[in-house]
């Protein structure tokens, strides 16, 4: 069983930056995808971005050019660097681990990000 622990959430002012971390532990495959979704208040969950073991990334349109996903394979950790934040980025952010064997995704506990002045 893989477990994910998120950290780094908090409150920032518009235009600010924040970095989220997601650490995976347990029995982890060599190659796997990880990434982030978010759920703004009163909205459905949406894709933030994904990253493969090799570093290929994909981003949702709403964060393209502002957010950057990276990973440390030795530490089994994925990061989300968020820049130029706006109130529309306020949401609960969830990281996930996508096993290569086709089993169900594993989700982090969620971390709240609030952007307001």
């Amino acid at each position: 069983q893989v477990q994910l622990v998120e950290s780094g959430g908090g409150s920032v002012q518009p235009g600010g930056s924040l970095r989220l971390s997601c650490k995976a532990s347990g029995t982890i495959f060599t190659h796997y995808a990880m990434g982030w979704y978010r759920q703004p208040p009163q909205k459905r969950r949406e894709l933030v971005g994904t990253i493969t073991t090799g570093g290929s990334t994909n981003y949702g349109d709403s964060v393209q050019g502002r957010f950057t996903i990276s990973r440390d394979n030795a530490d089994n950790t994925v990061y989300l660097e968020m820049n130029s934040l706006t109130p529309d980025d306020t949401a609960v952010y969830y990281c996930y681990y996508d096993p290569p064997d086709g089993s169900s995704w594993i989700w982090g506990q969620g971390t709240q990000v609030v952007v307001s002045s």
Side-chain angles (χ1 to χ4, degrees), residues 31-43:
H31 302 285
Y32 56 90
M34 293 183 69
W36 298 87
Y37 276 74
R38 69 183 184 184
Q39 187 162 18
Q42 299 180 326
K43 295 183 179 180

Side-chain angles (χ1 to χ4, degrees), residues 10-61:
S11 298
V12 296
Q13 295 186 351
S17 299
L18 203 62
R19 190 192 195 200
L20 306 182
S21 299
C22 179
K23 167 71 174 179
S25 62
T27 303
I28 304 170
F29 291 95
T30 302
H31 302 285
Y32 56 90
M34 293 183 69
W36 298 87
Y37 276 74
R38 69 183 184 184
Q39 187 162 18
Q42 299 180 326
K43 295 183 179 180
R44 67 181 63 183
R45 187 178 300 182
E46 65 179 2
L47 174 70
V48 175
T50 61
I51 186 168
T52 68
T53 304
S56 297
T57 56
N58 181 65
Y59 297 97
D61 291 339

